[in-house]
């Protein structure tokens, strides 16, 4: 049938948010007397809200319930986005270009409140037919749950979708869902080589996300 839909990740694909997540979480952990680790941010990339807040509380020593940790960190991130949404170059054009050809979905590990804030401020919310946070499904990435659910809501077989991802967990998630896979890795948080090898194509920036690359 060919490609019928494109499913974007958000953090690291449409917005340069991973450095912000790392700074906000690091400062929060230190403030609360926890122990930040050099690989903490990489471990959390793809986790859903319950998973990463539990990780901060249980593994990094933040002495608060996971629910309180999640609420605090999400509020801090919302404050960051209220000042500026860190859109990556070419993000808006890429979404508009793809929306002219295919149905669009969003499969993000960010909480739903932050997804809505980012898409609204960027003027992109109306381009997406299905928007889903991993906090709304059973498991976060690298499990395929979020991608399978987005495909279901789009009314499209996962095999007829192209996913655009950046992280090890995200690439693994989309590949496990059976989607065609385009990797758009961020140099600050490069995916593991074995995850990158799952991609059907690798792009350096969103200007390279052409219709030919998506459907090849």
């Amino acid at each position: 049938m060919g490609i019928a839909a494109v499913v974007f990740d958000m953090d690291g694909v449409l917005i340069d948010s991973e450095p912000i997540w790392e700074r906000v979480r690091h400062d929060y952990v230190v403030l609360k007397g926890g122990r930040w680790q050099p690989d903490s941010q990489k471990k959390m990339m793809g986790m859903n809200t319950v998973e990463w807040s539990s990780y901060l509380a249980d593994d990094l020593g933040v002495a608060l319930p996971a629910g309180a940790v999640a609420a605090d960190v999400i509020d801090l991130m919302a404050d960051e986005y209220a000042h500026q949404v860190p859109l990556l170059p070419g993000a808006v054009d890429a979404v508009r270009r793809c929306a002219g050809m295919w149905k669009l979905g969003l499969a993000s590990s960010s909480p739903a409140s932050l997804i809505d804030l980012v898409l609204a401020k960027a003027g992109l919310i109306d381009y997406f037919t299905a928007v889903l946070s991993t906090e709304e499904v059973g498991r976060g990435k690298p499990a395929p749950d979020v991608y399978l659910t987005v495909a279901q809501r789009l009314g499209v077989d996962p095999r007829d979708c192209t996913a655009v991802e950046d992280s090890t967990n995200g690439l693994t998630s989309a590949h496990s869902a059976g989607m065609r896979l385009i990797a758009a890795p961020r140099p600050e948080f490069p995916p593991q080589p074995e995850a990158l090898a799952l991609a059907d194509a690798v792009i350096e920036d969103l200007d390279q996300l052409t219709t030919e690359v998506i459907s090849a």
Side-chain angles (χ1 to χ4, degrees), residues 22-149:
E22 181 173 38
R23 172 170 52 81
V24 166
R25 286 165 168 161
H26 170 273
D27 292 352
Y28 182 79
V29 167
V30 172
L31 178 66
K32 299 299 183 181
R35 303 171 304 279
W36 185 262
Q37 303 297 323
D39 61 348
S40 292
Q41 180 61 20
K42 281 191 175 182
K43 284 185 176 179
M44 286 185 282
M45 291 173 70
M47 288 185 181
N48 65 27
T49 303
V50 171
E51 291 165 343
W52 64 251
S53 59
S54 297
Y55 174 76
L56 292 186
D58 299 337
D59 293 71
L60 300 190
V62 175
L64 290 169
V69 172
D72 288 346
V73 173
I74 290 169
D75 283 347
L76 291 168
M77 288 298 296
D79 287 342
E80 294 281 342
Y81 291 159
H83 289 95
Q84 182 179 8
V85 173
L87 284 165
L88 281 163
V92 172
D93 288 342
V95 169
R96 290 174 175 169
R97 184 165 61 248
C98 292
M101 297 283 294
W102 302 283
K103 291 182 178 180
L104 297 191
L106 190 82
S108 175
S109 298
S110 277
S113 60
L114 294 183
I115 296 171
D116 292 344
L117 176 60
V118 167
L119 294 182
K121 286 183 69 70
L124 295 176
I125 197 164
D126 291 336
Y127 291 98
F128 290 92
T129 301
V131 174
L132 190 66
S133 165
T134 54
E135 69 180 8
E136 301 172 76
V137 296
R139 299 173 295 173
K141 303 171 185 178
D145 303 32
V146 68
Y147 278 102
L148 293 173
T149 305

